[in-house]
Amino acid sequence: MTGGADPDSTARYRAEAGSQEATAAERPADRDGAADDDATGAAGPADTVVAVEGLSKRFGSGPDATTAVDDVSLSVERGAIVGLLGPNGAGKTTLVKSILGMVLPDEGEVRIDGIDARERPRAAYSRVDALLEGARNDYWRLTVRENLRYFATISGVDPDSVQARHDRLLDRLDLADHADVAVRDLSRGMKQKVSLASVLAGGADVVFLDEPTLGLDVESARTLQTELRRLAADEGLTVVLSSHNMDVVETVCDRVVIMSEGRVIADDTVEALLGGSDTHEIHVTSADFDDDLLATLGDQFALATVERRDPGARIAVTVDSDGLYALMATLRAHDVTLDRVRTVEPDLEDVFVDITNGEGRR
C-alpha cells in the first residue's frame, strides 16, 4: 500500500515508529498482560505511563540561541487525560516532539512505561501514537477503512482482531457511510475525524492529540470528547491533549499543564485551577448608573463591559474578594439601587489568561 504523505507528516512518523517492532525482551507488556519488570526497568510508580525529567531543548548557539523547553519535569498516570496549554512560543510543540522522539532534547530523560526512550526507542514507542496539527496524519490515497487497518497493522495488531473496534469508531465518528471512500476525497472536517479514528485504531496505550477538534462541528467534537472519556475509563487509554478550545480541555481533561517561556508554570487538576482563582466577574444592573458614576467606577475598578440602558446601565466588573467589598461600598455611597446582581464564575480560559498574564492562547 502506498500513501501520499510528505516526509514530515505524522503518518510517516507513525509508520516508521510502528514498523520498528520491538524484540520480545524490549516489549513493555503484552496488550492484555502486565509489564515485565526486567523489561521496563521498574522506574517510578507502576501507574506512571509518561515520565519526563529535566527536559531542555535549545535551538541555535551563542547569543542567538533560543531555549524552547527549559528544565521541564512532569508525569502522566495511566488512564489520565492531561491538557497541555500555553501561549504561542511557550514550548508545547517542542516538548511534545521531544517526548515523541521527533526532536532530540539537549538534556533530560523521557520514560514511557518505565522504558528509557533514548536508550530503547523502539520498545518505548511501540504503544504510542500521535496526531499533530499541521501534519498530514493519514494516507490520502487509501480509503477510510484501509487507513484504520494499516495503522493497526503497523502497531503490531492483527486488523481483523480489532474489526469491532474499527466499526465502533467509524460509527461513533459518523464515518461509516464513508468507510470505502478515499481520504483525499473527503472534506477537511471528515479528514480530521479519519485522523482521530486511525490514531485510536491500533489500541495504543498513550496518544498525543494536537488540536483534535480542529475542523469538527459541535456535535462531532462532543462525540470525540465522549469517546476519549470512555476509552480512558474503560480501556485505560492515556491522552495528552493540546487545544485552543478551552471548553474541550475543561470538559475532557482531568488535569492541565500550563507552559510559558519553556517552563511549566501550573500543573493541577481542572477543579483545583478553577477553584484557585480569586477573581470574579460581577454583573450589576441599575437604573441609577449615569455618565458621571460610570466614569467614577471606571477609574476605581476594572470594567469589562458597559451596556447602556434607558434608564441606567448594566456593567461587568472584574474584581477579587476585597474588590467586591469595595465595589459594594462605592455603590452604597452613591445611593445606587441594585436591580440585579450576578456573579460569573471563572472558566478555564479566565484562569489561563490570569496565570499567563494575558498572553495569547496556545
Side-chain angles (χ1 to χ4, degrees):
M1 290 184 282
T2 60
D6 58 87
D8 294 325
S9 72
T10 307
R12 179 66 58 85
Y13 158 75
R14 291 164 59 195
E16 290 177 350
S19 64
Q20 294 176 351
E21 187 173 348
T23 65
E26 291 177 313
R27 296 180 191 276
D30 292 333
R31 291 199 180 273
D32 298 323
D36 185 312
D37 289 340
D38 292 336
T40 63
D47 58 354
T48 297
V49 181
V50 179
V52 178
E53 291 290 340
L55 199 71
S56 295
K57 178 62 184 178
R58 292 174 293 277
F59 294 100
S61 59
D64 296 327
T66 299
T67 300
V69 178
D70 188 4
D71 193 26
V72 168
S73 296
L74 59 87
S75 61
V76 181
E77 296 180 346
R78 191 178 311 280
I81 303 180
V82 177
L84 181 62
L85 303 177
N88 286 326
K92 301 181 311 301
T93 299
T94 301
L95 174 63
V96 169
K97 288 186 175 181
S98 296
I99 295 173
L100 291 172
M102 300 174 73
V103 169
L104 185 64
D106 298 307
E107 300 170 8
E109 181 181 90
V110 175
R111 288 183 174 270
I112 308 293
D113 255 349
I115 300 172
D116 190 308
R118 180 173 292 190
E119 292 182 357
R120 298 160 60 202
R122 291 184 299 171
Y125 296 123
S126 64
R127 305 296 171 79
V128 178
D129 212 333
L131 182 155
L132 301 181
E133 183 190 6
R136 187 177 297 178
N137 293 282
D138 295 293
Y139 289 110
W140 288 6
R141 298 178 187 177
L142 304 182
T143 68
V144 174
R145 189 181 297 278
E146 286 172 341
N147 266 283
L148 268 60
R149 291 180 63 85
Y150 175 71
F151 285 113
T153 300
I154 65 171
S155 296
V157 177
D158 178 358
D160 292 332
S161 70
V162 290
Q163 184 63 53
R165 180 192 189 92
H166 293 179
D167 289 341
R168 182 176 64 247
L169 286 169
L170 292 171
D171 182 60
R172 294 193 178 191
L173 294 175
D174 294 324
L175 291 168
D177 292 341
H178 305 274
D180 298 317
V181 176
V183 172
R184 63 185 174 189
D185 296 328
L186 300 176
S187 67
R188 179 188 179 187
M190 295 291 284
K191 288 173 181 173
Q192 181 75 352
K193 290 196 285 187
V194 176
S195 296
L196 291 165
S198 63
V199 165
L200 300 171
D205 294 332
V206 184
V207 295
F208 290 78
L209 305 178
D210 188 13
E211 297 295 347
T213 60
L214 189 67
L216 300 185
D217 56 35
V218 173
E219 184 177 354
S220 296
R222 288 177 178 172
T223 298
L224 169 65
Q225 295 172 49
T226 300
E227 182 67 1
L228 289 177
R229 295 299 313 176
R230 187 196 68 78
L231 289 169
D234 296 349
E235 301 183 22
L237 178 69
T238 303
V239 181
V240 177
L241 183 154
S242 178
S243 178
H244 275 119
N245 192 328
M246 295 290 178
D247 289 337
V248 170
V249 175
E250 184 173 339
T251 300
V252 78
C253 293
D254 308 300
R255 172 176 145 224
V256 174
V257 175
I258 300 178
M259 294 185 66
S260 180
E261 297 182 348
R263 288 181 170 270
V264 172
I265 59 173
D267 182 353
D268 215 330
T269 64
V270 173
E271 291 78 6
L273 288 171
L274 293 177
S277 176
D278 189 40
T279 60
H280 305 274
E281 187 170 279
I282 309 298
H283 292 186
V284 182
T285 304
S286 174
D288 295 330
F289 287 140
D290 57 23
D291 290 343
D292 290 340
L293 180 54
L294 290 173
T296 298
L297 293 173
D299 290 338
Q300 297 181 16
F301 304 97
L303 297 187
T305 60
V306 176
E307 179 185 327
R308 302 281 183 165
R309 298 190 174 188
D310 188 16
R314 183 179 74 89
I315 63 173
V317 189
T318 304
V319 293
D320 57 15
S321 297
D322 292 337
L324 176 58
Y325 291 122
L327 173 64
M328 291 302 146
T330 300
L331 295 178
R332 173 175 284 187
H334 286 81
D335 295 323
V336 172
T337 298
L338 303 179
D339 298 330
R340 186 180 181 190
V341 178
R342 183 166 67 94
T343 300
V344 179
E345 294 297 328
D347 58 17
L348 187 59
E349 182 168 355
D350 297 323
V351 173
F352 174 81
V353 171
D354 185 47
I355 290 176
T356 59
N357 297 316
E359 295 180 71
R361 285 184 292 179
R362 282 281 289 164

